[in-house]
Amino acid sequence: MFRKILRISLVLIGSLIIYSSKGFAVDDPFIGYGSGGYNGKLMIFSIPGLESLKEISIGVDIHGVVSDGKDLFVVDKAQNILFVIDLSKSSVKKDIKLLYGFGPSSIAVSKDGKNVYIAGELSGKVAMVSIDSGKVVTVDLKPMPSSPNFITITPDGKYCLVSDYSNNRVLRISTSPFKLDREIKIRSPHGIAVTSDGKYALVSSKFSASLNIVDIKDFKVEKAIKTGAVPLNTVIDSKGAFAYQSQHGSSEIVKIDLAKKEIVGRFPVKYNPDNISISPDDKYLLSINKFSTGIYDKIYSNISDKGGIVTPQNMEVIEIASGKTIKQVAVSGDITDTIILSRGSVKDASLKGGGQFIKQGGKPDVSPKEGVKVSYMPADDRPPGIFDADDGAIEIRLKALSYIFAPNVVNVFKGDTVRFIITNIDEKSLYIDKPDVVHGFTINGFGKQTDVLLPRGVSAVMEFKADRKGSFDFYCSNFCGPVHHEMRGRLIVE
Ligand SMILES: [Cu+2]
């Protein structure tokens, strides 16, 4: 009798959970899309409820998400591929190979969806890709080396605007003919948003702590507004009245009145936001927060039985009118970019509610591996360098710290078995006293063999064959702080 009652109660509780979670998602008017970074996924979720609707495994390190209203476009920074995703089915319908070593990090799409423009952070190039023919044309951002890591397009489609952190400049590139047109000096530029009338570009300057209002036609800074600490990204509402800028250092979103060109509000977030997006009705802000220190301690606490603390990043939805956080969830991966579309415009019956992002006690979700076994060992305290191991492998003992790899140039021969032993050696300073400052390690061109997380207290070990000659950039693939993008090095296979 008791068992029967228990069983009936469990069924009732179960159906209540399913009912309420389904109802919640159906009620949500918007759908958010996030490129998941190192988990290789496209994450699809409801707004404002932040219920997971679907996750699609696409590649290795997924960045940039834009839409022409029909399709979605994302890039794989580790594999140099542009993916086209059918919005009505939420599935990949086309992939276009970019150049060897291109290292795409950000994308923009023309209004008609015919051309996609891609910033090649690792190669210093910008590409124009014709979606129908798959033809790729590139321009070099001279003088090299340059590091274009953010790109956007003007509403008339005439120009792409690109941030280059290596040369402290923002470039204007004309789309027809596709060539470098003008440049302007802005210190440590990051995200760019363009007003809907196409007059102004709002450029975040990370280390000048400002929002630069750039007149696009004359291509000069009209005004720089001091906003916060380490501003990264900006969005503008649909009426062009207000802009919102994420302050990575001071953990807030700043609201700017564009007519008055002054700050009119501040929304605290937990913690250290990067990408932000706004719902089409201007009611909700979505903040991608890179650190969750103390909020989700029970999730990802140990990456392996050897230890190594990882805590997940999170997404936070703010209701703009009240300034209140209405939902916050832990997320898998390192979400790099997001967009929000209205539910009615997507029309995909395969998107269902009831999904959960991360369960308590869950493990971090990294992209699938090929031809390599990744393991973790207690932190390796031997000096860094390149050594011949007793078993014939080339052993590369690499140290990762904010914001460099040592050594940052690694030479091997084709055919070598390379064994990377990578250790996060960060100690206390700036952000680093947060236990969740975790680096990542991914080699462009060897993405399926690498793409690992590097928490403190353990060393990641991965062994694979260097089966191709060439120069391959490696980079930190998990957001670790203000200079995260600059944490790079090179594997040379001779
Ligand atoms: Cu890092």
Side-chain angles (χ1 to χ4, degrees):
M1 184 62 187
F2 174 72
R3 277 194 178 173
K4 201 173 176 188
I5 292 170
L6 184 70
R7 208 179 301 142
I8 291 168
S9 326
L10 284 176
V11 168
L12 273 174
I13 292 167
S15 41
L16 271 175
I17 289 171
I18 290 165
Y19 176 78
S20 57
S21 54
K22 259 191 181 164
F24 197 41
V26 170
D27 290 345
D28 276 353
F30 304 108
I31 298 181
Y33 295 85
S35 41
Y38 69 72
N39 71 8
K41 289 179 174 174
L42 177 72
M43 323 279 285
I44 311 177
F45 43 87
S46 69
I47 298 284
L50 289 182
E51 194 167 327
S52 178
L53 302 177
K54 202 175 193 176
E55 291 180 7
I56 318 169
S57 280
I58 292 180
V60 173
D61 185 19
I62 302 301
H63 287 245
V65 56
V66 290
S67 176
D68 62 351
K70 212 164 85 263
D71 296 317
L72 276 179
F73 305 89
V74 298
V75 280
D76 189 332
K77 189 173 174 183
Q79 300 196 99
N80 310 309
I81 301 172
L82 165 67
F83 290 99
V84 184
I85 293 142
D86 186 334
L87 262 183
S88 68
K89 296 187 193 121
S90 307
S91 60
V92 173
K93 72 172 187 191
K94 193 171 191 172
D95 57 87
I96 297 171
K97 280 221 154 44
L98 306 169
L99 305 183
Y100 158 86
F102 188 72
S105 63
S106 174
I107 56 179
V109 63
S110 62
K111 264 194 186 132
D112 59 11
K114 284 190 173 155
N115 291 304
V116 168
Y117 301 89
I118 312 177
E121 181 182 351
L122 302 180
S123 59
K125 295 174 194 293
V126 170
M128 177 170 74
V129 182
S130 159
I131 296 302
D132 285 344
S133 67
K135 194 177 157 214
V136 181
V137 186
T138 61
V139 287
D140 288 349
L141 302 189
K142 285 177 182 156
M144 301 285 242
S146 51
S147 303
N149 78 323
F150 194 97
I151 190 165
T152 192
I153 190 167
T154 55
D156 60 10
K158 279 189 181 157
Y159 298 112
C160 284
L161 304 173
V162 177
S163 286
D164 166 16
Y165 60 72
S166 291
N167 296 293
N168 294 302
R169 60 180 173 170
V170 171
L171 303 122
R172 191 173 82 182
I173 295 168
S174 72
T175 54
S176 178
F178 186 53
K179 69 174 181 54
L180 192 54
D181 175 66
R182 294 275 291 274
E183 67 174 75
I184 185 173
K185 283 285 171 196
I186 290 182
R187 214 148 78 87
S188 52
H190 195 71
I192 309 172
V194 177
T195 53
S196 55
D197 60 9
K199 268 192 174 161
Y200 296 105
L202 310 180
V203 183
S204 295
S205 167
K206 276 195 288 187
F207 302 123
S208 302
S210 62
L211 181 75
N212 290 264
I213 302 176
V214 175
D215 182 306
I216 294 176
K217 191 161 156 270
D218 298 341
F219 219 54
K220 60 171 201 227
V221 176
E222 201 172 285
K223 188 175 180 182
I225 306 170
K226 287 283 173 204
T227 45
V230 195
L232 289 182
N233 286 292
T234 305
V235 289
I236 300 172
D237 68 8
S238 64
K239 295 178 188 72
F242 298 102
Y244 300 85
Q245 190 189 41
S246 63
Q247 312 296 326
H248 181 71
S250 48
S251 294
E252 59 185 346
I253 313 276
V254 165
K255 181 177 183 178
I256 299 118
D257 184 319
L258 285 176
K260 294 180 188 158
K261 296 190 176 69
E262 61 187 44
I263 294 168
V264 291
R266 290 175 186 273
F267 307 122
V269 293
K270 290 184 180 127
Y271 301 95
N272 310 94
D274 173 19
N275 172 267
I276 49 173
S277 45
I278 189 165
S279 60
D281 64 354
D282 301 331
K283 275 190 182 157
Y284 305 106
L285 279 175
L286 171 67
S287 178
I288 303 301
N289 301 329
K290 293 297 171 179
F291 298 102
S292 300
T293 316
I295 308 178
Y296 303 110
D297 284 344
K298 290 195 178 98
I299 308 174
Y300 293 5
S301 55
N302 285 308
I303 194 169
S304 72
D305 56 2
K306 308 286 187 299
I309 292 169
V310 182
T311 59
Q313 302 177 0
N314 72 78
M315 296 200 288
E316 183 171 354
V317 169
I318 295 154
E319 185 182 55
I320 292 171
S322 66
K324 288 209 170 75
T325 293
I326 56 170
K327 187 88 183 183
Q328 188 165 21
V329 295
V331 290
S332 111
D334 177 19
I335 294 185
T336 51
D337 292 278
T338 54
I339 53 164
I340 304 174
L341 302 177
S342 71
R343 198 180 183 96
S345 71
V346 173
K347 294 185 185 76
D348 178 4
S350 77
L351 298 180
K352 290 207 168 64
Q356 212 181 344
F357 271 105
I358 301 174
K359 292 177 186 71
Q360 291 283 316
K363 291 272 179 227
D365 184 15
V366 283
S367 67
K369 298 289 171 286
E370 225 169 65
V372 64
K373 197 170 177 292
V374 176
S375 61
Y376 287 90
M377 60 181 240
D380 176 28
D381 58 6
R382 294 171 296 176
I386 302 164
F387 306 89
D388 292 315
D390 292 341
D391 61 0
I394 306 298
E395 192 166 288
I396 300 138
R397 295 173 203 151
L398 204 69
K399 308 295 178 188
L401 68 156
S402 298
Y403 299 93
I404 53 171
F405 289 106
N408 65 0
V409 178
V410 173
N411 286 276
V412 300
F413 290 111
K414 187 185 166 188
D416 280 348
T417 296
V418 294
R419 180 186 305 132
F420 277 94
I421 301 176
I422 312 177
T423 314
N424 179 341
I425 57 162
D426 267 337
E427 287 180 21
K428 251 180 149 45
S429 78
L430 192 67
Y431 286 30
I432 301 160
D433 58 340
K434 286 178 181 251
D436 41 356
V437 175
V438 170
H439 301 291
F441 178 78
T442 304
I443 306 178
N444 180 276
F446 286 98
K448 284 190 172 167
Q449 286 75 35
T450 54
D451 192 48
V452 291
L453 285 176
L454 307 170
R456 274 174 284 176
V458 286
S459 295
V461 185
M462 77 217 75
E463 186 177 306
F464 58 91
K465 218 173 191 70
D467 56 4
R468 274 156 286 157
K469 280 190 183 182
S471 172
F472 305 91
D473 286 298
F474 56 78
Y475 60 94
C476 178
S477 47
N478 184 39
F479 198 103
C480 58
V483 200
H484 156 69
H485 298 91
E486 279 106 304
M487 193 167 161
R488 290 162 55 176
R490 188 164 287 177
L491 169 71
I492 296 165
V493 185
E494 293 173 79

